[in-house]
Amino acid sequence: MRTDFPHIRLRWHRVGSATAVTAALVLAGFGTAVHADATTSSKVTWAATPCANPKKTGELACNSLRVTGGTTAFQKARGITPKAADAATPSGYGPSDLQSAYGLTAAAAANGSGETIAIVDAYNDPNAEADLAKYRSYYGLPACTSASGCFKKVGQTGSTTSLPTSDAGWSEEISLDLDMVSAIAPKAKILLVEAKSATMANLGKSVNEAVTLGAKFVSNSYGGSESSSDTSYDSSYFNHPGVAITVSAGDEGYGAEYPAASKYVTAVGGTALSTSSNSRGWTESVWKTSSTEGTGSGCSSYDAKPSWQTDTGCTKRMISDVSAVADPATGVSVYDSYGVTAGWYTFGGTSASSPIIAAVYALAGTPGSSDYPAQYPYTHTSSLNDVTSGNNGSCSTSYFCTATSGYDGPTGWGTPKGVSAFTG
């Protein structure tokens, strides 16, 4: 169990021009920073969700941020004038946007049936199934209910009745994760495994339980500082051949997190995603708000380099492998109701990109029984959108923190361009 106190987000940021003023508010008793440009009302503002600020020593942080105002990329692209986060209508990208951006429209309509995607989070969201139903109904996705066998919620022991204590902050994270899986792979089954707390031990046991219950795709949207215990966590919780395990790279800019650093998982970085007049119709860059906020990346201090990683600047495990949208200003639409005004919110953070990539793996099909699916993108690099602009901070080895042609830390080999890069 960890004894450090990872990723406390008590931070002030400057967003926009040199004259912009960044404000910070304390929400729901947690010190989560809100990012605002006082000069322009359209500037997007956001705050880390409460679960991004661990309440207890040894707990890990979720990697999500919730938009609190301004005009998002989704709204700008459609000429929508109401400010984001009024809860009445979506203000972030929906399923059709994400499927279009990542070349998944046909695959989402045809693939995923019979596959089970697991979401591992901490604490209980009592409204998870009801909120999921709202999201899927609004966007015209097929219903996914416990009655039909499509949706299942369990605690870390697999019990459907013995569930953890409910928590509003982690419920926001759960809603984000469930909705992103639904957006990308609407025909897949969803298994939500709720750890009794956000320690690595309990979250890790939940990963094992997800695999025991048959999930071949497991998304993890949390992380913390690396430690010398990580290699033992690797063998205890993440060494599952034949299972695609995705992990958020982190939201604090350049620097390695665990379990994204595990050599057995697909580490998922984050991008800013906007519409474009190019042939793809979309463009992406590294997500960075400031030197202390943006997608994580870096060279692990403890985890060995997997055989499929061939970059020469890092002798150990390098983060990330692939990436997807994570910038709150270009964020995704989520329906949530527990502990907040019931309605529509826009989220960012690498908590969004991890379930997106887990769902892409599901669209690509069941992994080979002895495979580590993290290696798949490395053998299909031409089937990814190479992200070549932006950085997530300063580093002594350029590609650790700066996008470049080919592999780089913040975005890995790039973002999905269909499903071909996610199969053996």
Coordinates of all heavy atoms in Angstrom, one line a residue, residues 174-257:
I174 N -17.1 8.1 -12.5 CA -17.8 6.9 -13.0 C -18.7 7.2 -14.2 O -18.7 6.5 -15.2 CB -18.5 6.2 -11.8 CG1 -17.6 5.5 -10.9 CG2 -19.5 5.2 -12.4 CD1 -18.2 5.0 -9.6
S175 N -19.4 8.3 -14.0 CA -20.3 8.8 -15.1 C -19.5 9.0 -16.4 O -19.8 8.6 -17.5 CB -21.1 10.0 -14.7 OG -22.0 9.7 -13.7
L176 N -18.3 9.7 -16.2 CA -17.5 10.0 -17.4 C -17.0 8.7 -18.0 O -17.1 8.5 -19.3 CB -16.2 10.8 -16.9 CG -15.1 11.0 -17.9 CD1 -15.5 11.7 -19.1 CD2 -13.9 11.7 -17.2
D177 N -16.6 7.8 -17.3 CA -16.0 6.5 -17.8 C -17.1 5.7 -18.5 O -16.9 5.2 -19.6 CB -15.4 5.7 -16.7 CG -14.2 6.3 -16.1 OD1 -13.6 7.2 -16.7 OD2 -13.8 5.9 -15.0
L178 N -18.3 5.6 -17.9 CA -19.4 4.8 -18.5 C -19.8 5.4 -19.8 O -20.1 4.7 -20.8 CB -20.5 4.7 -17.5 CG -20.3 3.9 -16.2 CD1 -21.5 3.9 -15.4 CD2 -19.9 2.5 -16.5
D179 N -19.9 6.8 -19.8 CA -20.4 7.4 -21.0 C -19.4 7.3 -22.2 O -19.8 7.2 -23.3 CB -20.7 8.9 -20.7 CG -21.9 9.0 -19.8 OD1 -22.6 8.0 -19.5 OD2 -22.3 10.2 -19.4
M180 N -18.1 7.4 -21.9 CA -17.1 7.3 -22.9 C -17.1 5.9 -23.6 O -16.9 5.7 -24.8 CB -15.7 7.7 -22.4 CG -15.6 9.2 -22.1 SD -16.1 10.2 -23.5 CE -17.8 10.6 -23.1
V181 N -17.2 4.9 -22.7 CA -17.3 3.5 -23.3 C -18.5 3.4 -24.2 O -18.5 2.8 -25.3 CB -17.3 2.5 -22.1 CG1 -17.8 1.1 -22.6 CG2 -16.0 2.4 -21.5
S182 N -19.6 4.0 -23.7 CA -20.9 3.9 -24.5 C -20.8 4.7 -25.8 O -21.3 4.2 -26.8 CB -22.0 4.5 -23.7 OG -22.3 3.8 -22.5
A183 N -20.1 5.8 -25.8 CA -19.9 6.6 -27.0 C -19.2 5.9 -28.1 O -19.5 6.0 -29.3 CB -19.2 7.9 -26.6
I184 N -18.2 5.1 -27.7 CA -17.3 4.5 -28.7 C -17.8 3.1 -29.0 O -17.7 2.7 -30.2 CB -15.8 4.4 -28.1 CG1 -15.3 5.8 -27.9 CG2 -14.9 3.7 -29.1 CD1 -15.3 6.7 -29.1
A185 N -18.2 2.3 -28.1 CA -18.6 0.9 -28.3 C -20.0 0.7 -27.8 O -20.2 0.0 -26.7 CB -17.6 -0.1 -27.7
P186 N -21.0 1.2 -28.4 CA -22.4 1.1 -27.8 C -23.0 -0.2 -27.8 O -24.0 -0.5 -27.1 CB -23.2 2.1 -28.8 CG -22.4 2.1 -30.0 CD -21.0 2.0 -29.6
K187 N -22.4 -1.2 -28.5 CA -23.0 -2.6 -28.5 C -22.3 -3.5 -27.5 O -22.8 -4.6 -27.3 CB -22.8 -3.2 -29.9 CG -23.7 -2.6 -31.0 CD -23.7 -3.4 -32.2 CE -24.8 -2.9 -33.2 NZ -24.9 -3.8 -34.4
A188 N -21.3 -3.0 -26.8 CA -20.6 -3.8 -25.8 C -21.3 -3.8 -24.5 O -22.0 -2.9 -24.2 CB -19.2 -3.3 -25.7
K189 N -21.0 -4.8 -23.7 CA -21.5 -4.9 -22.4 C -20.6 -4.1 -21.5 O -19.4 -3.9 -21.8 CB -21.6 -6.3 -21.9 CG -22.6 -7.2 -22.6 CD -22.5 -8.6 -22.0 CE -23.6 -9.5 -22.7 NZ -23.6 -10.9 -22.2
I190 N -21.1 -3.6 -20.4 CA -20.3 -2.8 -19.4 C -20.3 -3.4 -18.0 O -21.4 -3.7 -17.5 CB -20.8 -1.3 -19.4 CG1 -20.8 -0.7 -20.8 CG2 -19.9 -0.5 -18.4 CD1 -21.4 0.7 -20.8
L191 N -19.1 -3.6 -17.5 CA -19.0 -4.0 -16.1 C -18.3 -3.0 -15.3 O -17.2 -2.5 -15.6 CB -18.1 -5.3 -16.1 CG -17.7 -5.8 -14.7 CD1 -18.9 -6.3 -13.9 CD2 -16.6 -7.0 -14.9
L192 N -19.0 -2.5 -14.3 CA -18.4 -1.5 -13.4 C -18.0 -2.1 -12.1 O -18.8 -2.7 -11.4 CB -19.5 -0.4 -13.1 CG -19.1 0.7 -12.0 CD1 -17.9 1.4 -12.3 CD2 -20.3 1.6 -11.8
V193 N -16.7 -2.1 -11.8 CA -16.2 -2.7 -10.5 C -15.8 -1.5 -9.6 O -14.9 -0.7 -10.0 CB -15.0 -3.6 -10.8 CG1 -14.6 -4.3 -9.5 CG2 -15.3 -4.6 -11.9
E194 N -16.4 -1.5 -8.5 CA -16.2 -0.4 -7.5 C -15.3 -0.8 -6.4 O -15.7 -1.7 -5.5 CB -17.5 0.2 -7.0 CG -18.4 0.7 -8.1 CD -19.7 1.2 -7.6 OE1 -20.3 0.6 -6.7 OE2 -20.3 2.2 -8.2
A195 N -14.1 -0.3 -6.3 CA -13.2 -0.6 -5.1 C -13.7 0.1 -3.9 O -14.4 1.1 -3.9 CB -11.8 -0.1 -5.5
K196 N -13.4 -0.5 -2.7 CA -13.9 0.0 -1.5 C -13.2 1.3 -1.1 O -13.7 2.1 -0.2 CB -13.9 -1.0 -0.4 CG -12.6 -1.5 0.1 CD -12.7 -2.5 1.2 CE -11.3 -3.0 1.7 NZ -11.5 -4.0 2.8
S197 N -12.0 1.5 -1.6 CA -11.3 2.8 -1.4 C -10.4 3.0 -2.6 O -10.2 2.1 -3.4 CB -10.6 2.8 -0.1 OG -9.4 2.0 -0.2
A198 N -9.7 4.1 -2.7 CA -8.9 4.4 -3.8 C -7.4 4.1 -3.6 O -6.5 4.7 -4.2 CB -9.0 5.9 -4.2
T199 N -7.1 3.1 -2.8 CA -5.8 2.6 -2.6 C -5.4 1.7 -3.8 O -6.3 1.2 -4.4 CB -5.6 1.8 -1.3 OG1 -6.4 0.7 -1.4 CG2 -6.0 2.7 -0.1
M200 N -4.1 1.6 -4.0 CA -3.7 0.7 -5.1 C -4.1 -0.7 -4.8 O -4.5 -1.4 -5.8 CB -2.1 0.8 -5.3 CG -1.6 0.1 -6.5 SD -2.1 0.8 -8.1 CE -3.5 -0.2 -8.6
A201 N -4.0 -1.1 -3.6 CA -4.4 -2.5 -3.2 C -5.9 -2.8 -3.6 O -6.2 -3.8 -4.3 CB -4.2 -2.7 -1.8
N202 N -6.8 -1.9 -3.3 CA -8.2 -2.1 -3.5 C -8.5 -1.9 -5.0 O -9.3 -2.7 -5.6 CB -9.1 -1.2 -2.6 CG -9.1 -1.7 -1.2 OD1 -9.0 -2.9 -0.9 ND2 -9.1 -0.7 -0.3
L203 N -7.9 -0.9 -5.6 CA -8.2 -0.8 -7.1 C -7.6 -1.9 -7.8 O -8.2 -2.4 -8.8 CB -7.6 0.6 -7.5 CG -8.3 1.8 -7.1 CD1 -7.4 3.1 -7.2 CD2 -9.6 2.0 -7.9
G204 N -6.4 -2.4 -7.4 CA -5.8 -3.5 -8.1 C -6.6 -4.8 -7.9 O -6.7 -5.6 -8.9
K205 N -7.1 -5.0 -6.8 CA -8.0 -6.2 -6.6 C -9.2 -6.1 -7.5 O -9.8 -7.1 -7.9 CB -8.4 -6.3 -5.1 CG -7.3 -6.7 -4.2 CD -7.7 -6.6 -2.7 CE -6.6 -7.0 -1.8 NZ -6.9 -6.8 -0.3
S206 N -9.7 -4.9 -7.7 CA -10.8 -4.7 -8.6 C -10.5 -5.0 -10.0 O -11.3 -5.5 -10.8 CB -11.3 -3.2 -8.5 OG -11.7 -2.9 -7.1
V207 N -9.3 -4.7 -10.4 CA -8.8 -5.1 -11.8 C -8.8 -6.6 -11.9 O -9.3 -7.1 -12.9 CB -7.4 -4.5 -12.1 CG1 -6.9 -5.1 -13.4 CG2 -7.4 -3.0 -12.1
N208 N -8.3 -7.3 -10.9 CA -8.3 -8.7 -10.9 C -9.7 -9.3 -11.0 O -10.0 -10.2 -11.7 CB -7.6 -9.3 -9.7 CG -6.1 -9.1 -9.7 OD1 -5.5 -8.8 -10.8 ND2 -5.4 -9.2 -8.6
E209 N -10.6 -8.7 -10.2 CA -12.0 -9.1 -10.2 C -12.7 -8.9 -11.6 O -13.4 -9.8 -12.1 CB -12.8 -8.4 -9.1 CG -14.2 -8.9 -9.0 CD -14.3 -10.4 -8.6 OE1 -13.4 -10.9 -7.9 OE2 -15.3 -11.1 -8.9
A210 N -12.4 -7.8 -12.2 CA -12.9 -7.5 -13.6 C -12.5 -8.6 -14.5 O -13.3 -9.1 -15.3 CB -12.4 -6.2 -14.1
V211 N -11.2 -9.0 -14.5 CA -10.7 -10.1 -15.3 C -11.4 -11.4 -15.0 O -11.8 -12.2 -15.9 CB -9.2 -10.2 -15.3 CG1 -8.7 -11.3 -16.1 CG2 -8.6 -8.9 -15.7
T212 N -11.5 -11.7 -13.7 CA -12.1 -12.9 -13.2 C -13.6 -13.0 -13.8 O -14.0 -14.1 -14.1 CB -12.2 -13.0 -11.7 OG1 -10.8 -13.1 -11.2 CG2 -12.9 -14.2 -11.2
L213 N -14.3 -11.9 -13.8 CA -15.6 -11.9 -14.3 C -15.8 -11.9 -15.8 O -16.9 -11.8 -16.4 CB -16.4 -10.7 -13.7 CG -16.6 -10.8 -12.2 CD1 -17.2 -9.5 -11.7 CD2 -17.5 -11.9 -11.8
G214 N -14.6 -12.0 -16.5 CA -14.7 -12.2 -18.0 C -14.4 -11.0 -18.8 O -14.4 -11.1 -20.1
A215 N -14.1 -9.8 -18.3 CA -13.8 -8.6 -19.1 C -12.4 -8.8 -19.8 O -11.4 -9.2 -19.2 CB -13.7 -7.4 -18.2
K216 N -12.4 -8.5 -21.1 CA -11.2 -8.6 -21.9 C -10.6 -7.2 -22.1 O -9.6 -7.0 -22.7 CB -11.4 -9.3 -23.2 CG -11.8 -10.7 -23.1 CD -10.8 -11.6 -22.4 CE -11.2 -13.0 -22.4 NZ -10.1 -13.8 -21.6
F217 N -11.3 -6.2 -21.6 CA -10.9 -4.8 -21.7 C -11.2 -4.1 -20.4 O -12.3 -4.1 -19.9 CB -11.7 -4.1 -22.9 CG -11.8 -5.0 -24.1 CD1 -12.9 -5.8 -24.3 CD2 -10.8 -5.0 -25.0 CE1 -12.9 -6.7 -25.4 CE2 -10.8 -5.8 -26.1 CZ -11.9 -6.7 -26.3
V218 N -10.2 -3.5 -19.8 CA -10.3 -2.9 -18.5 C -9.7 -1.5 -18.5 O -8.5 -1.3 -18.7 CB -9.6 -3.7 -17.4 CG1 -9.9 -3.2 -16.0 CG2 -10.1 -5.2 -17.4
S219 N -10.6 -0.5 -18.2 CA -10.1 0.9 -18.1 C -9.9 1.4 -16.7 O -10.7 1.1 -15.8 CB -11.1 1.8 -18.8 OG -10.7 3.2 -18.7
N220 N -8.8 2.1 -16.5 CA -8.4 2.6 -15.2 C -8.1 4.1 -15.3 O -7.1 4.5 -16.0 CB -7.2 1.9 -14.6 CG -7.4 0.4 -14.6 OD1 -7.9 -0.1 -13.6 ND2 -7.1 -0.3 -15.7
S221 N -8.9 5.0 -14.7 CA -8.7 6.4 -14.9 C -8.2 7.1 -13.6 O -8.8 8.0 -13.1 CB -10.0 7.1 -15.3 OG -10.4 6.7 -16.6
Y222 N -7.1 6.5 -13.1 CA -6.5 7.0 -11.8 C -5.0 6.8 -11.8 O -4.5 6.1 -12.7 CB -7.2 6.3 -10.6 CG -7.0 4.8 -10.7 CD1 -5.8 4.1 -10.3 CD2 -8.0 4.0 -11.3 CE1 -5.7 2.7 -10.5 CE2 -7.9 2.6 -11.4 CZ -6.7 2.0 -11.0 OH -6.6 0.6 -11.1
G223 N -4.4 7.5 -10.9 CA -2.9 7.3 -10.8 C -2.3 8.0 -9.6 O -3.0 8.7 -8.9
G224 N -1.1 7.8 -9.4 CA -0.3 8.5 -8.3 C 1.1 8.4 -8.6 O 1.6 7.9 -9.6
S225 N 1.9 8.9 -7.7 CA 3.4 9.0 -7.8 C 3.9 7.6 -7.9 O 3.4 6.6 -7.3 CB 4.0 9.7 -6.6 OG 3.5 11.0 -6.5
E226 N 5.0 7.4 -8.7 CA 5.7 6.1 -8.8 C 6.3 5.8 -7.4 O 6.6 6.7 -6.6 CB 6.8 6.2 -9.8 CG 6.3 6.3 -11.2 CD 7.4 6.0 -12.2 OE1 8.3 6.9 -12.3 OE2 7.4 4.9 -12.9
S227 N 6.5 4.5 -7.2 CA 7.1 4.1 -6.0 C 7.9 2.7 -6.2 O 7.7 2.1 -7.3 CB 6.1 3.8 -4.8 OG 5.5 2.6 -4.9
S228 N 8.7 2.4 -5.3 CA 9.5 1.1 -5.5 C 8.6 -0.1 -5.4 O 9.1 -1.2 -5.7 CB 10.6 1.1 -4.4 OG 10.1 1.2 -3.1
S229 N 7.4 0.1 -5.0 CA 6.5 -1.1 -4.9 C 5.8 -1.4 -6.2 O 5.1 -2.4 -6.4 CB 5.4 -0.8 -3.9 OG 5.9 -0.5 -2.6
D230 N 6.0 -0.5 -7.2 CA 5.3 -0.7 -8.5 C 5.5 -2.0 -9.2 O 4.6 -2.6 -9.8 CB 5.6 0.5 -9.4 CG 5.1 1.8 -8.9 OD1 4.3 1.8 -8.0 OD2 5.5 2.9 -9.5
T231 N 6.7 -2.5 -9.2 CA 7.0 -3.8 -9.9 C 6.2 -4.9 -9.2 O 5.8 -5.9 -9.9 CB 8.5 -4.1 -9.9 OG1 9.0 -4.1 -8.6 CG2 9.2 -3.1 -10.8
S232 N 6.0 -4.9 -7.9 CA 5.2 -5.9 -7.2 C 3.7 -5.7 -7.5 O 3.0 -6.7 -7.7 CB 5.4 -5.9 -5.7 OG 5.0 -4.7 -5.1
Y233 N 3.3 -4.5 -7.7 CA 1.9 -4.2 -8.1 C 1.7 -4.8 -9.5 O 0.6 -5.3 -9.9 CB 1.6 -2.7 -8.1 CG 1.6 -2.0 -6.8 CD1 2.0 -0.7 -6.7 CD2 1.2 -2.7 -5.6 CE1 2.0 -0.1 -5.4 CE2 1.3 -2.1 -4.4 CZ 1.7 -0.8 -4.3 OH 1.7 -0.1 -3.1
D234 N 2.7 -4.6 -10.4 CA 2.6 -5.2 -11.7 C 2.2 -6.6 -11.7 O 1.3 -7.0 -12.4 CB 4.0 -5.0 -12.4 CG 4.2 -3.7 -13.0 OD1 3.3 -2.8 -13.0 OD2 5.4 -3.5 -13.5
S235 N 3.0 -7.4 -10.9 CA 2.7 -8.9 -10.9 C 1.4 -9.2 -10.2 O 0.8 -10.2 -10.6 CB 3.9 -9.6 -10.3 OG 4.2 -9.1 -9.0
S236 N 1.1 -8.4 -9.2 CA -0.1 -8.7 -8.4 C -1.4 -8.4 -9.1 O -2.5 -9.0 -9.0 CB -0.1 -8.0 -7.1 OG 1.0 -8.4 -6.3
Y237 N -1.4 -7.3 -9.9 CA -2.7 -6.7 -10.4 C -2.8 -6.5 -11.9 O -3.9 -6.5 -12.5 CB -2.9 -5.3 -9.7 CG -2.9 -5.4 -8.2 CD1 -2.1 -4.4 -7.5 CD2 -3.6 -6.3 -7.5 CE1 -2.0 -4.4 -6.2 CE2 -3.5 -6.3 -6.1 CZ -2.7 -5.4 -5.4 OH -2.7 -5.4 -4.1
F238 N -1.7 -6.3 -12.6 CA -1.8 -5.9 -14.0 C -1.2 -6.9 -15.0 O -1.4 -6.7 -16.2 CB -1.1 -4.6 -14.2 CG -1.8 -3.5 -13.4 CD1 -1.2 -3.0 -12.2 CD2 -3.0 -2.9 -13.8 CE1 -1.8 -2.0 -11.5 CE2 -3.6 -2.0 -13.1 CZ -3.1 -1.5 -11.9
N239 N -0.7 -8.0 -14.6 CA -0.1 -9.0 -15.5 C -1.2 -10.0 -16.0 O -1.4 -11.0 -15.4 CB 1.0 -9.8 -14.9 CG 1.7 -10.7 -15.8 OD1 1.4 -10.7 -17.0 ND2 2.7 -11.4 -15.4
H240 N -2.0 -9.5 -17.0 CA -3.1 -10.3 -17.4 C -3.0 -10.5 -19.0 O -3.6 -9.7 -19.7 CB -4.5 -9.6 -17.1 CG -4.8 -9.6 -15.6 ND1 -5.1 -10.7 -14.9 CD2 -4.7 -8.6 -14.7 CE1 -5.3 -10.4 -13.6 NE2 -5.1 -9.1 -13.5
P241 N -2.3 -11.5 -19.4 CA -2.2 -11.7 -20.9 C -3.6 -11.9 -21.4 O -4.5 -12.5 -20.8 CB -1.4 -13.0 -21.0 CG -0.6 -13.1 -19.7 CD -1.5 -12.5 -18.7
G242 N -3.9 -11.5 -22.6 CA -5.2 -11.6 -23.3 C -6.2 -10.6 -22.9 O -7.3 -10.6 -23.3
V243 N -5.8 -9.6 -22.1 CA -6.7 -8.5 -21.6 C -6.1 -7.2 -21.9 O -4.9 -6.9 -21.6 CB -6.9 -8.6 -20.1 CG1 -7.9 -7.5 -19.6 CG2 -7.5 -10.0 -19.8
A244 N -6.8 -6.3 -22.6 CA -6.4 -4.9 -22.9 C -6.7 -4.1 -21.7 O -7.8 -3.8 -21.4 CB -7.0 -4.4 -24.1
I245 N -5.6 -3.7 -20.9 CA -5.8 -2.8 -19.8 C -5.3 -1.4 -20.1 O -4.1 -1.3 -20.5 CB -5.0 -3.4 -18.5 CG1 -5.5 -4.8 -18.2 CG2 -5.2 -2.5 -17.3 CD1 -4.7 -5.5 -17.1
T246 N -6.1 -0.5 -20.0 CA -5.8 0.9 -20.3 C -5.7 1.7 -19.0 O -6.5 1.5 -18.1 CB -6.7 1.6 -21.3 OG1 -8.0 1.7 -20.7 CG2 -6.8 0.8 -22.6
V247 N -4.8 2.7 -19.0 CA -4.6 3.5 -17.8 C -4.3 5.0 -18.2 O -3.5 5.2 -19.1 CB -3.4 3.0 -17.0 CG1 -3.2 3.9 -15.7 CG2 -3.6 1.6 -16.5
S248 N -4.9 5.9 -17.6 CA -4.7 7.3 -17.8 C -3.3 7.7 -17.5 O -2.7 7.3 -16.5 CB -5.6 8.2 -16.9 OG -7.0 7.9 -17.2
A249 N -2.7 8.6 -18.3 CA -1.3 9.0 -18.1 C -1.1 10.0 -17.1 O 0.0 10.3 -16.6 CB -0.7 9.5 -19.4
G250 N -2.2 10.7 -16.7 CA -2.2 11.7 -15.6 C -2.5 13.1 -16.2 O -2.5 13.3 -17.4
D251 N -2.8 14.0 -15.3 CA -3.3 15.4 -15.6 C -2.4 16.5 -15.1 O -2.7 17.6 -15.2 CB -4.7 15.6 -15.1 CG -5.7 14.7 -15.7 OD1 -5.4 14.0 -16.7 OD2 -6.9 14.7 -15.2
E252 N -1.2 16.2 -14.7 CA -0.3 17.2 -14.0 C 0.9 17.6 -14.9 O 1.9 18.1 -14.4 CB 0.1 16.7 -12.7 CG -1.0 16.5 -11.7 CD -0.6 16.4 -10.3 OE1 0.5 16.0 -10.0 OE2 -1.4 16.8 -9.4
G253 N 0.7 17.4 -16.2 CA 1.8 17.7 -17.1 C 2.9 16.7 -17.1 O 2.8 15.6 -16.6
Y254 N 4.1 17.1 -17.6 CA 5.2 16.2 -17.7 C 5.6 15.5 -16.4 O 5.7 16.1 -15.4 CB 6.4 16.9 -18.3 CG 7.7 16.0 -18.4 CD1 7.7 14.9 -19.2 CD2 8.7 16.3 -17.6 CE1 8.8 14.1 -19.2 CE2 9.9 15.5 -17.6 CZ 9.9 14.4 -18.4 OH 11.0 13.6 -18.5
G255 N 5.7 14.2 -16.5 CA 6.0 13.4 -15.3 C 5.3 12.0 -15.3 O 4.2 11.9 -15.8
A256 N 6.0 11.0 -14.8 CA 5.4 9.6 -14.9 C 4.5 9.4 -13.7 O 4.8 9.8 -12.6 CB 6.5 8.6 -14.9
E257 N 3.4 8.7 -14.0 CA 2.5 8.2 -13.0 C 2.4 6.7 -13.0 O 2.7 6.0 -14.0 CB 1.1 8.7 -13.2 CG 0.8 10.1 -12.7 CD -0.7 10.4 -12.6 OE1 -1.5 9.5 -12.9 OE2 -1.0 11.5 -12.2

